[in-house]
Amino acid sequence: MVTLFDKITVGDIELKNRIVMAPLTRSRANDADGVPADFAADYYSQRASGGLIITEATNVSAMAKGYVRTPGIYTQ
C-alpha cells in the first residue's frame, strides 16, 4: 500500500515523500517593488524538509496585484 511518506517521481524530480505544499501568498514582500523580505526565505526554509513546495504566486505587473505585499517580477 502506498503511503504519504513513500518516495515518488514527478517528471525528472524524485521526491522523498508525497507531501506537497500548495502555492500560498504569504504577504512577505515589499509593497513598493514586490521584492520578498529576508524573512520570506526563513519561512520557506522552515518548511523545506516537509516535501515539495510550490512557491507562491508572483505578480507580473503592478496592475496584477491582488492585494498588498505580494511578490512581483516586474521591476529591475
Side-chain angles (χ1 to χ4, degrees):
M1 180 175 167
V2 176
T3 71
L4 186 61
F5 300 103
D6 288 334
K7 290 181 181 180
I8 187 171
T9 301
V10 180
D12 293 336
I13 301 170
E14 184 174 313
L15 305 174
K16 68 179 184 177
N17 59 50
R18 295 162 184 260
I19 298 171
V20 177
M21 182 173 147
L24 306 166
T25 303
R26 304 288 78 205
S27 297
R28 296 175 185 271
N30 178 319
D31 201 42
D33 57 16
V35 174
D38 291 339
F39 59 87
D42 294 335
Y43 173 84
Y44 286 111
S45 66
Q46 291 165 350
R47 288 148 181 82
S49 65
L52 176 66
I53 299 175
I54 301 173
T55 59
E56 60 190 287
T58 303
N59 302 314
V60 296
S61 76
M63 297 291 290
K65 280 186 178 184
Y67 50 95
V68 299
R69 295 189 314 272
T70 54
I73 57 171
Y74 52 87
T75 65
Q76 293 296 326

